[in-house]
Amino acid sequence: KSSVQTIGEEQIQNPYTELLVLKGHQDIVRFLVQIDDCRFASAGDDGIIFLWNAQTGEKLFELHGHTHKITAIAPFSSSDTSEEKNNLILTASADRTVIVWDCTSGRQVQKVSCFHSTVKCLTVLQRLDVWLSGGSDLCVWNRKLDLLCKTSHLTDAGISALVELPKNCVAAAVGKELIIFRLIASNERSEGWNLLEVKRLVDHQDNILSLVSVNDLTFVTGSHVGELIVWDALDWTKQASECNFWVSSVHPDVQPEIKLSQSPNETSVQHLTSDEECVFAAVGKGIYVYNLQMKRVIACQRTAHDSSVLHIEKLPNRQLISCSEDGSVRIWELREKQQLPAEPVPTGFFNMWGFGRANKQANQAAKKMQENTPMYFLELVGDLIGHSSAVQMFLYFGELGLATCSADHLIILWKDGERESRLRSLTLFQKLAQNGDLQLK
């Protein structure tokens, strides 16, 4: 029997009672990227990029130009003062090309095909008006797609993730290493840059899978064997770490499950997201809330889904959304536990572990801290069943709803049923008024 929490048919707190199915892709849809308040792009293994209207589900453009699967996508809005702000997107493919597309016209602006390997990640440094491509080397490009500088060949495995840091720096995940590069303005040309490798961080025991910037002071990395490391974004020192997600530290009242070996996918940190206060981690089948100030996990749902959690996002209202290989999308609410008065701990417990009188003060301090520390839990408030295969990721559009993409080749727009019903009534009312069928007194 599955230990995954379930929710009844009612789902009173789940607003997403309507859905629109968007068809067009011929293979796994892996990426969704927001263009503006009501448009987004989708891409995946069929090499085609679609542009959609998030309100209506209308297909705006179908972009053909790649011959293999898409490996990375990034929005790149122009900040030119001379022209209207036009939205561009960059797409990288296993065909070893990067294409820039104009989202207004749906046209291919330019194509770069001088890469020695597949570009696995793209990052736009909006402030410097340049973008970076990461593969077996790191390259810096300007808006006109001129190559400004690049590193020497790093590794055959290549850069798997990039994150922007303060002071013109970026962190690149290369296997289990984290390499910090700084962009230094070159004197030779007006917009020339040089890349300088400033530090290599080798604290992870296994490949780094996820990388997220929290704010200007902090960024966080997660690895294949379940290590989460919090870093200082200015001097790149290790601030804190957590690598026992599967140990029952969060629920002292629960007997820890003893396992002789952890299979890697059970502890793998697939995705990280963050707000200023916490880091939200998708670890194996579970989701964990790590408080940055307390430097510990404050809430978790060990088996949030039946299979690995692939993507997690925090919503503005203390809610989290997670999606999984099992095809489900779930909404969680972070709630504070009602604290019960702490019971005195029998002395025998401490003696058993070699704690004597000397540790009495420490125990009291720990108990006091436990009393003052609010405990949280994640409650399942919505279960969105619509996809028949692994849900790769999603985009949250506020009141316009939620877009999800899946290995079933589909994109689903989940809508707030009550809001949609009101809008339909309003539209009908306006039509009747225009036609004169409605006598307004």
Side-chain angles (χ1 to χ4, degrees):
K1 190 178 179 294
S2 170
S3 57
V4 174
Q5 196 179 334
T6 54
I7 190 167
E9 290 291 310
E10 283 291 291
Q11 298 199 37
I12 305 155
Q13 296 174 72
N14 177 10
Y16 303 114
T17 53
E18 273 190 33
L19 55 90
L20 280 170
V21 179
L22 314 185
K23 296 178 179 177
H25 283 285
Q26 306 298 311
D27 210 330
I28 299 173
V29 191
R30 293 190 190 273
F31 304 102
L32 297 174
V33 68
Q34 190 165 347
I35 297 163
D36 54 29
D37 290 344
C38 68
R39 288 183 302 164
F40 69 96
S42 62
D45 289 7
D46 58 7
I48 306 164
I49 302 100
F50 287 98
L51 266 53
W52 308 91
N53 179 314
Q55 169 70 60
T56 62
E58 181 196 353
K59 188 192 295 176
L60 304 171
F61 293 109
E62 193 171 320
L63 313 178
H64 293 265
H66 290 295
T67 56
H68 289 68
K69 68 179 183 180
I70 307 292
T71 51
I73 184 167
F76 191 8
S77 61
S78 104
S79 50
D80 294 355
T81 45
S82 57
E83 55 180 284
E84 258 185 69
K85 186 174 176 178
N86 72 322
N87 295 97
L88 306 172
I89 47 170
L90 301 164
T91 55
S93 163
D95 61 14
R96 298 188 181 185
T97 66
V98 169
I99 298 177
V100 183
W101 308 90
D102 186 319
C103 298
T104 312
S105 64
R107 284 207 306 268
Q108 184 175 309
V109 179
Q110 218 165 337
K111 187 175 191 172
V112 190
S113 40
C114 59
F115 297 100
H116 300 300
S117 68
T118 300
V119 170
K120 293 182 182 170
C121 46
L122 296 164
T123 299
V124 174
L125 307 186
Q126 204 75 46
R127 199 171 45 80
L128 303 178
D129 207 32
V130 297
W131 58 275
L132 282 69
S133 63
S136 57
D137 42 31
L138 180 64
C139 303
V140 182
W141 309 83
N142 67 8
R143 191 171 289 281
K144 299 185 199 105
L145 270 69
D146 300 320
L147 177 61
L148 304 179
C149 58
K150 62 183 278 193
T151 61
S152 54
H153 184 85
L154 292 166
T155 161
D156 288 333
I159 297 168
S160 57
L162 280 168
V163 70
E164 181 179 1
L165 301 179
K167 299 184 176 175
N168 295 358
C169 290
V170 288
V174 181
K176 59 178 83 168
E177 281 189 319
L178 201 59
I179 308 177
I180 310 292
F181 293 99
R182 179 173 276 133
L183 273 82
I184 297 167
S186 156
N187 300 326
E188 299 151 30
R189 292 176 294 161
S190 58
E191 58 163 350
W193 292 95
N194 288 323
L195 269 173
L196 180 71
E197 184 186 314
V198 285
K199 196 155 187 181
R200 285 195 180 219
L201 307 170
V202 290
D203 298 65
H204 277 291
Q205 302 301 306
D206 205 342
N207 289 348
I208 299 164
L209 298 183
S210 40
L211 195 52
V212 67
S213 172
V214 177
N215 51 35
D216 286 345
L217 302 172
T218 313
F219 72 102
V220 182
T221 53
S223 83
H224 189 60
V225 290
E227 309 154 296
L228 180 141
I229 299 180
V230 182
W231 304 91
D232 186 303
L234 297 171
D235 65 7
W236 320 301
T237 52
K238 187 171 161 181
Q239 297 294 295
S241 65
E242 174 73 55
C243 57
N244 294 323
F245 283 114
W246 56 91
V247 173
S248 192
S249 57
V250 182
H251 300 296
D253 52 324
V254 177
Q255 199 59 32
E257 212 178 318
I258 297 165
K259 290 190 177 180
L260 295 175
S261 65
Q262 297 288 332
S263 67
N265 62 336
E266 276 187 46
T267 60
S268 175
V269 183
Q270 266 91 234
H271 188 236
L272 292 169
T273 188
S274 151
D275 59 12
E276 291 286 310
E277 202 181 331
C278 294
V279 172
F280 306 92
V283 185
K285 297 175 184 177
I287 52 181
Y288 293 75
V289 182
Y290 180 89
N291 185 287
L292 289 160
Q293 204 171 359
M294 295 182 206
K295 296 190 166 128
R296 67 182 187 86
V297 173
I298 57 162
C300 77
Q301 191 60 251
R302 271 188 188 70
T303 43
H305 293 263
D306 280 317
S307 304
S308 292
V309 181
L310 298 181
H311 196 83
I312 184 170
E313 283 299 336
K314 166 88 166 29
L315 301 192
N317 48 7
R318 289 187 79 76
Q319 287 190 337
L320 281 174
I321 299 187
S322 58
C323 65
S324 161
E325 280 182 349
D326 65 16
S328 64
V329 180
R330 309 191 109 189
I331 307 167
W332 308 86
E333 194 159 300
L334 188 62
R335 294 193 176 157
E336 201 168 319
K337 269 187 187 171
Q338 295 300 311
Q339 288 286 61
L340 297 167
E343 287 180 29
V345 180
T347 52
F349 173 82
F350 289 108
N351 293 338
M352 183 173 74
W353 293 103
F355 294 103
R357 286 180 187 277
N359 265 334
K360 196 169 181 184
Q361 282 177 310
N363 296 335
Q364 282 173 340
K367 191 170 134 188
K368 192 152 186 66
M369 186 187 147
Q370 201 173 348
E371 281 171 16
N372 296 336
T373 305
M375 287 296 285
Y376 296 89
F377 67 101
L378 287 162
E379 184 171 350
L380 181 65
V381 294
D383 204 353
L384 311 183
I385 306 295
H387 287 291
S388 61
S389 196
V391 181
Q392 304 293 317
M393 68 170 291
F394 51 84
L395 282 180
Y396 175 67
F397 275 96
E399 59 177 17
L400 291 187
L402 188 72
T404 56
C405 66
S406 164
D408 62 12
H409 311 180
L410 300 176
I411 294 156
I412 294 180
L413 276 181
W414 303 86
K415 296 285 190 180
D416 179 332
E418 281 184 26
R419 180 178 180 272
E420 295 302 305
S421 180
R422 280 198 309 273
L423 289 174
R424 279 193 292 270
S425 302
L426 190 64
T427 309
L428 181 64
F429 189 82
Q430 287 167 340
K431 271 186 182 168
L432 289 169
Q434 280 169 5
N435 297 338
D437 298 337
L438 194 68
Q439 294 301 314
L440 294 171
K441 291 184 180 177

